[in-house]
């Protein structure tokens, strides 16, 4: 009976940790900090402000370099950053654009290079 009580306690502790994203996102999820958020907002300001046109950042530019440095093209880093926005920041910055940084800054072959036909 004691092993089952230990197992139940373990599950309870794991559930508490998994429910609270600041404690660890189940040990496998993405964690982000306010410093990460500030880096993204500062370096990608021209691409994220609602008052600016919706244009993707250059993949070789500073914004995408910071996104890749924070491993924002993997996992849910950009969703995590978007969740940290304050009410005032949500009025200034476009949440959808923040989440799109993951795909905008991914390094991969462009579809145009694959579609070229040699004559």
């Amino acid at each position: 009976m004691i092993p089952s009580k230990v197992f139940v306690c373990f599950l309870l502790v794991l559930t508490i940790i998994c429910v609270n994203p600041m404690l660890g996102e189940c040990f496998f999820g993405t964690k982000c900090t306010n410093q990460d958020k500030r880096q993204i907002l500062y370096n990608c300001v021209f691409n994220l402000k609602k008052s600016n046109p919706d244009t993707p950042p250059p993949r070789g530019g500073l914004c995408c370099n910071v996104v890749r440095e924070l491993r924002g093209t993997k996992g849910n880093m950009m969703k995590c950053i978007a969740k940290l926005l304050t009410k005032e920041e949500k009025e200034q910055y476009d949440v959808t654009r923040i989440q799109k940084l993951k795909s905008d800054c991914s390094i991969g072959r462009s579809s145009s290079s694959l579609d070229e036909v040699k004559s």
Side-chain angles (χ1 to χ4, degrees):
M1 200 54 127
I2 290 180
S4 64
K5 288 182 181 180
V6 171
F7 181 72
V8 169
C9 287
F10 173 75
L11 286 178
L12 180 63
V13 169
L14 186 62
T15 302
I16 291 169
I17 290 172
C18 290
V19 169
N20 187 343
M22 298 308 281
L23 290 177
E25 297 253 355
C26 287
F27 301 111
F28 303 110
T30 305
K31 290 187 261 181
C32 61
T33 64
N34 278 313
Q35 182 177 349
D36 296 335
K37 176 187 77 170
R38 284 191 298 271
Q39 277 189 288
I40 294 294
L41 295 181
Y42 179 78
N43 290 293
C44 303
V45 66
F46 298 113
N47 307 97
L48 301 179
K49 277 210 164 197
K50 289 182 177 180
S51 59
N52 294 337
D54 185 7
T55 55
R59 288 189 175 159
L62 183 60
C63 175
C64 281
N65 287 337
V66 170
V67 169
R68 285 191 293 273
E69 185 179 300
L70 294 175
R71 300 190 47 82
T73 57
K74 300 190 184 328
N76 292 319
M77 177 60 91
M78 293 301 111
K79 285 184 181 179
C80 184
I81 298 278
K83 285 181 184 178
L84 289 179
L85 292 178
T86 64
K87 184 179 178 183
E88 293 79 21
E89 289 170 334
K90 285 180 183 176
E91 290 173 6
Q92 247 186 325
Y93 299 97
D94 189 326
V95 173
T96 305
R97 292 185 199 179
I98 292 172
Q99 293 176 352
K100 279 182 19 183
L101 287 175
K102 177 180 178 177
S103 60
D104 289 344
C105 294
S106 293
I107 295 180
R109 289 186 178 179
S110 69
S111 58
S112 62
S113 65
L114 297 175
D115 292 337
E116 288 180 22
V117 177
K118 292 183 180 180
S119 315

Coordinates of all heavy atoms in Angstrom, one line a residue, residues 41 45 48-52 85-95 97-98:
L41 N 10.8 42.3 -28.2 CA 10.1 43.5 -28.5 C 11.1 44.6 -29.0 O 10.8 45.4 -29.9 CB 9.3 44.0 -27.3 CG 8.2 43.1 -26.9 CD1 7.4 43.7 -25.6 CD2 7.2 42.8 -28.0
V45 N 10.9 45.4 -33.1 CA 9.9 46.5 -32.9 C 9.2 46.9 -34.2 O 8.0 47.1 -34.3 CB 10.5 47.7 -32.2 CG1 11.5 48.4 -33.0 CG2 9.4 48.7 -31.8
L48 N 6.7 44.2 -35.3 CA 5.6 43.8 -34.3 C 4.7 44.9 -33.9 O 3.6 44.6 -33.5 CB 6.3 43.3 -33.0 CG 7.2 42.1 -33.2 CD1 7.8 41.6 -31.9 CD2 6.5 40.9 -33.9
K49 N 5.0 46.2 -34.1 CA 4.1 47.3 -33.7 C 2.9 47.3 -34.6 O 3.0 47.1 -35.8 CB 4.9 48.6 -33.8 CG 5.7 48.9 -32.6 CD 5.7 50.4 -32.3 CE 6.2 50.6 -30.9 NZ 6.0 51.9 -30.5
K50 N 1.8 47.4 -34.0 CA 0.5 47.5 -34.8 C 0.5 48.7 -35.7 O -0.2 48.6 -36.8 CB -0.7 47.6 -33.8 CG -0.9 46.3 -33.1 CD -2.2 46.4 -32.2 CE -2.5 45.1 -31.5 NZ -3.6 45.2 -30.6
S51 N 1.2 49.7 -35.4 CA 1.2 50.9 -36.2 C 2.0 50.8 -37.5 O 1.9 51.6 -38.4 CB 1.6 52.2 -35.4 OG 3.0 51.9 -34.9
N52 N 2.8 49.8 -37.6 CA 3.7 49.5 -38.7 C 3.0 48.5 -39.7 O 2.2 47.7 -39.2 CB 5.0 49.0 -38.3 CG 5.8 50.1 -37.5 OD1 5.5 51.3 -37.7 ND2 6.8 49.7 -36.7
L85 N 3.0 39.3 -22.4 CA 2.7 40.7 -22.7 C 1.7 41.3 -21.7 O 0.7 40.7 -21.3 CB 2.1 40.9 -24.1 CG 3.0 40.6 -25.3 CD1 2.2 40.7 -26.6 CD2 4.2 41.5 -25.3
T86 N 2.0 42.6 -21.3 CA 1.1 43.3 -20.4 C -0.1 43.8 -21.3 O -0.1 43.8 -22.5 CB 1.8 44.5 -19.7 OG1 2.2 45.4 -20.7 CG2 3.0 44.0 -18.9
K87 N -1.1 44.3 -20.6 CA -2.3 44.9 -21.3 C -1.8 46.0 -22.2 O -2.2 46.1 -23.4 CB -3.3 45.4 -20.3 CG -4.5 45.9 -20.9 CD -5.5 46.4 -19.9 CE -6.8 47.0 -20.5 NZ -7.7 47.5 -19.5
E88 N -0.9 46.9 -21.7 CA -0.4 48.0 -22.5 C 0.4 47.5 -23.7 O 0.3 48.1 -24.8 CB 0.5 48.9 -21.6 CG -0.3 49.7 -20.5 CD -0.6 48.8 -19.3 OE1 0.1 47.8 -19.1 OE2 -1.5 49.1 -18.6
E89 N 1.2 46.5 -23.5 CA 2.0 46.0 -24.6 C 1.1 45.3 -25.7 O 1.4 45.4 -26.9 CB 3.0 45.0 -24.1 CG 4.1 45.6 -23.3 CD 5.0 44.6 -22.6 OE1 4.5 43.5 -22.3 OE2 6.2 44.9 -22.3
K90 N 0.0 44.7 -25.3 CA -0.9 44.1 -26.2 C -1.6 45.2 -27.1 O -2.0 44.9 -28.2 CB -2.0 43.3 -25.5 CG -1.4 41.9 -25.0 CD -2.5 41.1 -24.3 CE -1.9 39.9 -23.8 NZ -2.9 39.1 -23.0
E91 N -1.7 46.4 -26.5 CA -2.3 47.5 -27.3 C -1.3 48.0 -28.4 O -1.7 48.5 -29.4 CB -2.8 48.6 -26.4 CG -3.9 48.2 -25.5 CD -4.3 49.3 -24.5 OE1 -3.7 50.4 -24.5 OE2 -5.2 49.0 -23.7
Q92 N 0.0 47.8 -28.1 CA 1.0 48.4 -28.9 C 1.5 47.3 -29.9 O 1.8 47.7 -31.1 CB 2.2 48.8 -28.1 CG 2.5 50.2 -28.0 CD 3.8 50.5 -27.3 OE1 4.1 49.8 -26.3 NE2 4.6 51.4 -27.7
Y93 N 1.6 46.1 -29.5 CA 2.3 45.0 -30.3 C 1.2 44.0 -30.8 O 0.3 43.7 -30.0 CB 3.4 44.3 -29.6 CG 4.5 45.3 -29.2 CD1 4.5 45.8 -27.9 CD2 5.5 45.6 -30.1 CE1 5.5 46.7 -27.5 CE2 6.5 46.5 -29.7 CZ 6.5 47.0 -28.4 OH 7.5 47.9 -28.1
D94 N 1.4 43.5 -32.0 CA 0.5 42.5 -32.5 C 0.9 41.1 -32.1 O 1.9 40.6 -32.5 CB 0.5 42.6 -34.1 CG -0.6 41.8 -34.7 OD1 -0.9 40.7 -34.2 OD2 -1.0 42.3 -35.8
V95 N 0.0 40.4 -31.3 CA 0.3 39.1 -30.8 C 0.5 38.1 -31.9 O 1.3 37.2 -31.9 CB -0.8 38.7 -29.8 CG1 -0.6 37.2 -29.4 CG2 -0.8 39.6 -28.6
R97 N 1.6 38.6 -34.9 CA 2.9 38.8 -35.5 C 4.0 38.2 -34.7 O 5.0 37.6 -35.2 CB 3.2 40.3 -35.7 CG 2.3 40.9 -36.8 CD 2.8 42.4 -37.0 NE 1.7 43.2 -37.6 CZ 1.9 44.5 -37.9 NH1 3.0 45.1 -37.6 NH2 0.9 45.1 -38.5
I98 N 3.9 38.3 -33.4 CA 4.9 37.7 -32.5 C 4.9 36.2 -32.7 O 6.0 35.6 -32.8 CB 4.6 38.0 -31.0 CG1 4.8 39.5 -30.7 CG2 5.5 37.2 -30.1 CD1 4.4 40.0 -29.4

